[in-house]
Amino acid sequence: MRKMTLNDIKDIKRIGETSVNHSIDHSVNLFRVRTLESKGTERSTPPRDPDEVKALNYLARNKLLSAMSNGTVQYDKERRVLSIAKYSRSE
């Protein structure tokens, strides 16, 4: 049976921590290098087509107008605020 002292255990622990920390630091540095190479210019999604923007605006406007006609959404002209009936506090 091998005998170990407390100092031996501390040394093993210290060596193990530095090797783990070194591998983590290495991974972080590799990630930084990759992001610096791309310079953050890549976008996750391409810009929308003007026709698509027009269609989405049309859909959103129709949905808002229908909600206003149903009474789900109220518009206060004086305060210029939209309020949703479902989320408004009862006064």
Side-chain angles (χ1 to χ4, degrees):
M1 176 189 259
R2 183 175 167 204
K3 292 186 179 182
M4 296 179 73
T5 64
L6 183 60
N7 288 334
D8 293 338
I9 295 171
K10 287 181 180 177
D11 289 340
I12 291 171
K13 184 179 176 197
R14 183 177 38 81
I15 291 170
E17 286 177 351
T18 57
S19 65
V20 169
N21 288 342
H22 176 71
S23 65
I24 291 172
D25 290 340
H26 181 67
S27 300
V28 169
N29 288 334
L30 283 177
F31 179 75
R32 285 184 183 154
V33 167
R34 288 187 194 131
T35 55
L36 288 177
E37 287 173 357
S38 67
K39 297 180 184 175
T41 56
E42 296 177 20
R43 295 180 61 176
S44 59
T45 57
R48 294 194 187 273
D49 187 66
D51 291 335
E52 185 179 5
V53 171
K54 190 175 181 180
L56 290 172
N57 287 341
Y58 177 78
L59 291 172
R61 182 173 168 81
N62 280 345
K63 186 164 184 158
L64 177 65
L65 291 175
S66 69
M68 288 174 73
S69 66
N70 291 343
T72 312
V73 176
Q74 291 92 26
Y75 179 67
D76 185 5
K77 290 183 181 180
E78 290 180 13
R79 295 186 320 173
R80 300 178 75 186
V81 174
L82 283 173
S83 59
I84 303 171
K86 183 165 116 178
Y87 299 113
S88 64
R89 295 181 188 165
S90 57
E91 296 178 68

